[in-house]
Structures are given as structure tokens and as C-alpha cells.
Amino acid sequence: MLLLAFDTATPAVTAAVLDTETGRVLAAADRIDARRHGELLLPTVDEVLGEVGVTKHQLGAVVTGTGPGPYTGLRVGLATAATLGHALGIPAYGICTLDGIAHAAHLQRVDGPFVVATDARRKEVYWAVYDADGVRTEGPSVDRPADIAERVAGLTAVGAGALLYPDTFPRALPEPAHQSAAALALLAARRLAAGEELEAPLPLYLRRPDAEVPKNYKTVLPA
């Protein structure tokens, strides 16, 4: 079965195609642009499908990162996964974005336990702690770095959020900084092979969106 994976919860717009029979990633592409998720996702998906030489109708499943992440970017991936699943009549799955980054770190043989931290803006980070096997043991949560300094003290850290706050994450590694759809696809395939039930592609929100509807409207009287 061909599995398409993508994620838009971090500044990376990333997509990959994996063959679940062989466990091999057949194609992967990454674009780093925090403001153009909506413009870049489908062209990136078309790029990896074209590299493999297949169409969307040959896919057997799709998986996307569910965040946590900024509201607008995150919704692009989730809406695309739900639409593809419905239109193609195939399963659409969701996996926590931090789990995907952790799996990439595990594949790179990062010593555990370790922490994954991504940029949550507002001077905060989305974070979670993982054991030596890349299994989440705490989180995901959103906090100011200084508020979790004692809880993550001494841990190796990965993710762009960790790189932004070296005082809290002094053992931050430069890679992986963002999500990789290749690692996400490998993690999804491993969980499916183990008989695990993957979640639906629903957003993992840890706080309210930055943009909100104004609470008070000015009253306009007819002339």
C-alpha cells in the first residue's frame, strides 16, 4: 500500500510517499516557509507523487500531523487530509507533530530521554518529553520556556523551539529542527504494522487561536 504523509504544523511544508509493504520512503520533499502553507502543500504533494510515478488514486491511506501548531498553518494539512480521504475513499489518519519530530530524532540516534520543542510564538513553546525509544512520556504542552526549565533540565532537546531558547535548552541539537514527512510516514507505518489504531486527523489545539472575532461592535444607526 502507498501511504502519503504530510504536515503543515511547523514552518516546514513537508510531504512523503511510503510503501508499507517494503517500509521504504519512495519520495520526500520539504519546503521551509511559515507563511505559505496553503500555497505550497498541494504542489509539494504533486511533486512527491510525480517522483514516484503514481496518482492520488493509487494511494491506500493518508496521514497528517495534527499539531500542536499555529492555527492557520495547521488547518491546511488537516483539511487537505480530510478532503483527500473522503474524495479517494481511503483512511485519513492523524499523528501528533511532536511525535513525528521525535521519531526523526530517534532515527538519528539521539540519546534519550529527550525533549522536542517547537515554536508556539507568543514567547512560548509546544513541547513533549520522549524516552530512549522515541515514545512520548510527557506532554504535549504549551508553556513559556522559563516555566519548564527545571522540568527539562539536563535533557537533550530537538526542534526549532529549543534552538530559540538556549538558556532553557542548553543541549539543543541543530537537527531535526522541523517536521519531516518521511519520519512521519515511517512512524505511521510502524504503528499500523503493530496493529495500533491511529487517530483521526483532528487538530491538537493547546490554546486559543491568535485571531479572534472582536467582542464589541460599534452600533451603526440608520441615517
Side-chain angles (χ1 to χ4, degrees), residues 11 13 31-45:
V13 178
R31 304 284 185 271
I32 309 300
D33 193 326
R35 298 180 180 277
R36 299 177 61 212
H37 295 92
E39 297 174 49
L40 294 176
L41 179 57
L42 288 180
T44 305
V45 167

Side-chain angles (χ1 to χ4, degrees), residues 7-219:
D7 197 312
T8 57
T10 73
V13 178
T14 176
V17 177
L18 176 141
D19 183 347
T20 60
E21 297 297 324
T22 63
R24 291 180 55 245
V25 175
L26 304 180
D30 306 290
R31 304 284 185 271
I32 309 300
D33 193 326
R35 298 180 180 277
R36 299 177 61 212
H37 295 92
E39 297 174 49
L40 294 176
L41 179 57
L42 288 180
T44 305
V45 167
D46 288 341
E47 178 182 340
V48 294
L49 292 175
E51 185 174 336
V52 179
V54 299
T55 69
K56 295 180 180 71
H57 297 280
Q58 293 171 269
L59 296 172
V62 59
V63 61
T64 187
T66 58
Y71 180 88
T72 304
L74 178 57
R75 294 294 298 180
V76 171
L78 294 169
T80 301
T83 300
L84 286 175
H86 178 74
L88 300 173
I90 60 176
Y93 302 116
I95 292 180
C96 173
T97 295
L98 301 182
D99 290 0
I101 298 174
H103 192 61
H106 177 62
L107 294 174
Q108 294 178 20
R109 301 185 183 279
V110 172
D111 293 332
F114 61 92
V115 58
V116 175
T118 60
D119 183 15
R121 305 174 184 173
R122 301 184 189 175
K123 298 181 179 180
E124 295 179 329
V125 292
Y126 297 118
W127 65 281
V129 177
Y130 295 81
D131 64 17
D133 296 320
V135 177
R136 179 160 26 106
T137 59
E138 184 178 358
S141 303
V142 59
D143 290 285
R144 289 182 176 271
D147 294 340
I148 61 170
E150 292 186 7
R151 296 166 70 179
V152 301
L155 295 181
T156 299
V158 298
L163 296 173
L164 287 173
Y165 302 98
D167 289 343
T168 298
F169 305 101
R171 298 184 59 189
L173 302 178
E175 296 292 338
H178 303 299
Q179 177 68 290
S180 160
L184 187 68
L186 288 166
L187 178 59
R190 187 178 76 171
R191 290 181 176 180
L192 288 171
E196 297 183 31
E197 185 175 346
L198 299 188
E199 299 176 359
L202 300 175
L204 182 58
Y205 294 136
L206 300 183
R207 68 181 187 204
R208 297 180 64 83
D210 293 337
E212 296 184 4
V213 176
K215 295 180 180 178
N216 298 313
Y217 292 93
K218 291 183 178 180
T219 301

